Amino acid sequence: MNGSASNRPARAGLALGAALVSAMLCTPATAAGPEEAGKGPGAAATTPAHAERACPVVYFDLGETLVHTADDGSTTYLPGAASYLRNLRGRHIRVGLITNVPPSWGTTDAERAARLRTEVDATWRGPVPFAWADFGDRIRTPRTEAERKPSPVLWQRAKDDSAGCRVVYQAETAQEVSVASSLGFLSYQVGRPNRPVFLPAGLVELLGRRPG
């Protein structure tokens, strides 16, 4: 993704995230290590759906935020991504995806998400499959070309579907972080130097206990 613009909403969202990390002394995301075994598209989520926390909901971009596509077309987790998802799952925190796919992939989010899974799985070369079960029905994709990010439509839909919960968004580009911040997400740009790769899971857990 090529977005690199940064403006006041983006700086405010990032500053808030950094301040909360420092002030609350939360546990950082688990360091990258051997990715979890047996977690993938065919595996059931470790935590039953009824045990998930109601709030917050943590949404991610997919490409170059959680997964990387190499020059040969193969796809793998980015370093630390699988262990971070495992950490959130262990805290019973709901996660979702906000990602661009061709609208022609289906007439509903569920249909487009199923095609996305097929496409990713077909090129997957990681030691374990991508943990699709963690995301449930929380995969938001564009219904038309006009809805593609950075249009705010997908973030607004995700927020509307989150039942008033505080919503978090994590992505690799400042532009997407800026748009999410402007819509009320606590947004965090992943992979920046001298910061945790992802927003620390302990902080995310605390956010669910604070008013939105």
Side-chain angles (χ1 to χ4, degrees), residues 36-175:
E36 67 261 48
K39 300 295 179 189
T46 300
T47 304
H50 67 270
E52 291 179 331
R53 296 182 187 278
C55 298
V57 185
V58 183
Y59 285 93
F60 298 89
D61 180 38
L62 181 60
E64 305 311 316
T65 296
L66 294 176
V67 305
H68 170 67
T69 300
D71 291 341
D72 65 1
S74 62
T75 309
T76 59
Y77 276 118
L78 280 164
S83 49
Y84 182 67
L85 290 174
R86 181 173 64 241
N87 199 343
L88 294 178
R89 181 167 61 246
R91 296 169 187 266
H92 314 319
I93 293 169
R94 293 184 295 166
V95 297
L97 294 174
I98 298 176
T99 187
N100 283 338
V101 302
S104 60
W105 279 8
T107 58
T108 66
D109 274 329
E111 290 178 0
R112 292 186 295 273
R115 174 66 181 274
L116 173 64
R117 175 173 166 172
T118 298
E119 295 291 328
V120 171
D121 289 351
T123 60
W124 193 260
R125 298 295 182 270
V128 294
F130 186 74
W132 293 107
D134 288 6
F135 297 90
D137 62 356
R138 295 176 294 275
I139 300 178
R140 300 292 167 258
T141 54
R143 296 168 292 196
T144 66
E145 288 296 324
E147 289 189 0
R148 292 176 65 87
K149 296 183 294 182
S151 163
V153 172
L154 297 185
W155 287 286
Q156 189 62 58
R157 285 172 53 202
K159 186 176 181 181
D160 291 345
D161 292 341
S162 295
C165 286
R166 184 184 292 273
V167 282
V168 177
Y169 182 69
Q170 303 192 54
E172 84 283 7
T173 63
Q175 183 183 37

Side-chain angles (χ1 to χ4, degrees), residues 184-197:
F185 284 71
L186 173 60
S187 54
Y188 188 82
Q189 189 172 351
V190 306
R192 298 191 71 191
N194 304 315
R195 292 187 180 182
V197 176

